[in-house]
Amino acid sequence: MSLRTATSGAAAPEGLPAAVPVHVGVIMDGNGRWATSRKLPRVEGHRRGVEALRRCVRAAREIGIRFLTIYSFSSENWSRPLGEVTELLRLLRLFLRNDLAELNATNVRVKVIGERANLSPDIRQLLADAEALTRDNTGLTLVVAFNYGSRQEIAAAVARIAQDVAAGRLKPEDVGVDMISQRLETAGIPDPDLIVRTSGEQRLSNFLLWQAAYSEFVFLPINWPDFDKDALLCAIAEYTRRERRFGGVTKSPGP
Ligand code: IPE
Ligand code: IPE
Ligand code: MG
């Protein structure tokens, strides 16, 4: 497959990339457009999207990525038509039931972020089982962002801090960047080095707002059901060409 990124027009490399990002976040977008461009119902795009997710997880393992966060359902996605939401929930159940054994066998640790209180008890159970079964695995950590919204996550963390201050367990002056990071659901997970979004849209849509402060963004002009290992390698190749400065200055040979 020949794929060019929206930003640089670079081709995917052969073999493994020179520098592998530790944590890659993926905004799996464009399922609906993939389907409607083929005169198929939108849900068919979601079904094909699950196959792309399997390819993505396999590729991430092969490339040696340590953390892969996949945005599978946002806090705002409940506003979609009921039939589409129902199908997305069905596909999550199917994925957890059908793929958990293989994820476990390949040493993948599953972690789920997002609000669980308003999910149905059977889905909550499946999510908890996936985390419990794979807790001690040491390979790729697959972070599933389901019913996730970054603003909601930050608001909840701030509310918990406010409770601790009100109860006298914390002083206002103790509240800082690290404390907020540790109170987010991603506590213990390094910030994403690279965030990839398919479908050509160039926005975060409430994904990892706090954690993405210094992430590199790569926007791929393909829809999610067409995603494969070449696409991931292409995004990583673009990432390796970026210079991350974290507010500092360009590394130069010096005077
Ligand atoms: C991404 O594809 C899947 C989810 C958001 C769950 P979309 O369904 O957003 O596809 P488009 O953006 O409408 O094409
Ligand atoms: C973001 O995609 C959410 C997921 C990929 C799960 P959306 O399709 O919901 O985002 P918008 O509405 O285009 O911003
Ligand atoms: Mg979309």
Side-chain angles (χ1 to χ4, degrees), residues 5-213:
T5 64
T7 44
S8 77
E14 299 277 318
L16 290 183
V20 174
V22 172
H23 182 179
V24 177
V26 180
I27 304 176
M28 310 185 290
D29 197 18
N31 291 351
R33 276 164 281 176
W34 182 93
T36 46
S37 70
R38 289 165 176 75
K39 300 192 175 10
L40 295 167
R42 285 177 57 84
V43 290
E44 192 53 37
H46 297 317
R47 288 173 199 142
R48 295 293 287 264
V50 178
E51 292 165 29
L53 171 58
R54 289 190 185 109
R55 290 194 292 274
C56 182
V57 173
R58 193 175 315 124
R61 282 198 292 106
E62 289 166 2
I63 293 166
I65 290 164
R66 303 293 306 160
F67 297 87
L68 176 71
T69 300
I70 50 147
Y71 201 11
S72 54
F73 192 88
S74 79
S75 305
E76 289 74 35
N77 285 147
W78 296 105
S79 64
R80 295 186 176 206
L82 181 61
E84 182 169 342
V85 170
T86 305
E87 179 64 8
L88 286 166
L89 295 174
R90 191 184 75 85
L91 289 172
L92 174 74
R93 284 187 184 92
L94 266 185
F95 178 73
L96 291 170
R97 288 195 187 118
N98 294 344
D99 290 61
L100 185 57
E102 191 189 331
L103 291 171
N104 190 39
T106 51
N107 204 19
V108 174
R109 181 169 66 121
V110 177
K111 177 170 171 55
V112 182
I113 58 172
E115 183 59 56
R116 295 194 213 186
N118 56 348
L119 298 176
S120 65
D122 74 304
I123 290 188
R124 287 212 300 266
Q125 192 60 52
L126 284 170
L127 296 174
D129 290 348
E131 289 184 317
L133 180 70
T134 62
R135 186 174 24 223
D136 297 327
N137 288 346
T138 55
L140 173 75
T141 296
L142 176 64
V143 183
V144 179
F146 190 84
N147 194 20
Y148 174 83
S150 191
R151 285 180 162 180
Q152 291 82 343
E153 177 192 31
I154 294 167
V158 169
R160 284 193 296 274
I161 290 171
Q163 281 163 6
D164 283 350
V165 170
R169 292 187 289 267
L170 264 184
K171 295 197 215 60
E173 57 269 29
D174 295 334
V175 179
V177 168
D178 289 345
M179 177 179 289
I180 292 175
S181 292
Q182 285 156 17
R183 302 258 181 152
L184 298 176
E185 293 191 72
T186 50
I189 297 172
D191 286 342
D193 302 292
L194 167 64
I195 292 183
V196 180
R197 183 169 186 152
T198 55
S199 89
E201 304 298 351
Q202 302 192 5
R203 55 180 172 262
L204 274 175
S205 302
N206 209 6
F207 183 58
L208 301 179
L209 304 180
W210 175 277
Q211 299 87 338

Side-chain angles (χ1 to χ4, degrees), residues 234-248:
C234 186
I236 294 173
E238 169 66 24
Y239 165 83
T240 59
R241 283 189 290 274
R242 304 271 177 88
E243 187 192 36
R244 304 183 75 190
R245 290 195 287 274
F246 299 98

